[in-house]
Amino acid sequence: MPFFPKITAAGFIAASMVLAACETAQQGRQPLPSEAPLVMLWAWERPEDLRFIDPGNTGVAFLAQTLTLDGEDVRYAPRRQPLDLPDSTYLIAVTRIESIRTADRRPAYTPPQIERIAKLVSESLARPNVRGIQLDFDAVVTERPFYKRLVDEV
């Protein structure tokens, strides 16, 4: 019986040390507070008049461009519809990525395609008030390795 309290005490001390270490490590991994507003509106490819929003508490994720994987090519289509916003609106530029699914034009998923997409996505950050990007790609299972390499590149 005297052995049991020693194990309990030793176990308690060891558990306390592990918990303290976890707490310290966890504190180092806490995400930084984002400057993004709590409310984000979505503006797809249609005329949008959002001048009524309060940019102090509302941001906008907007379709900036659509990129289509077509064989060895990447076709670029910029946003074509007007987007009216207050000047200081927090913006996220969304890039939609699509794939041609016909057999003769199926994407090649090449490194040059990744480089071109990454360049176009990076350029979308140069727009006024854009503070982030979002990739919108409904990648099927066979496209996921390509998508991972793309995300790593971006």
Side-chain angles (χ1 to χ4, degrees):
M1 201 75 156
F3 184 71
F4 185 70
K6 289 182 184 174
I7 292 177
T8 303
F12 177 75
I13 292 170
S16 297
M17 290 173 60
V18 168
L19 288 174
C22 288
E23 186 175 306
T24 303
Q26 186 69 7
Q27 288 172 351
R29 289 189 219 146
Q30 292 297 319
L32 297 174
S34 174
E35 62 181 22
L38 293 177
V39 176
M40 292 295 293
L41 302 180
W42 176 250
W44 199 242
E45 182 68 85
R46 68 179 188 189
E48 294 283 3
D49 184 354
L50 300 173
R51 290 176 288 185
F52 65 89
I53 68 170
D54 176 359
N57 61 22
T58 305
V60 176
F62 71 99
L63 180 68
Q65 60 193 344
T66 300
L67 307 177
T68 304
L69 297 166
D70 184 357
E72 299 271 338
D73 296 325
V74 175
R75 288 186 293 151
Y76 165 77
R79 178 182 187 87
R80 294 186 175 111
Q81 301 296 324
L83 179 60
D84 295 318
L85 302 162
D87 288 337
S88 61
T89 304
Y90 183 103
L91 297 175
I92 295 177
V94 179
T95 296
R96 171 78 182 146
I97 301 171
E98 299 177 342
S99 298
I100 300 293
R101 303 261 188 234
T102 60
D104 61 329
R105 295 171 55 195
R106 202 165 266 135
Y109 307 115
T110 63
Q113 286 176 312
I114 289 173
E115 290 170 16
R116 173 129 167 87
I117 294 169
K119 180 178 183 287
L120 290 166
V121 169
S122 296
E123 288 172 358
S124 70
L125 279 168
R127 294 173 175 225
N129 297 328
V130 170
R131 303 204 191 128
I133 58 158
Q134 176 183 333
L135 298 177
D136 179 19
F137 184 25
D138 301 326
V140 297
V141 172
T142 57
E143 293 173 314
R144 290 180 188 162
F146 173 82
Y147 192 26
K148 182 186 181 322
R149 291 191 315 268
L150 173 61
V151 169
D152 290 343
E153 181 73 20
V154 171

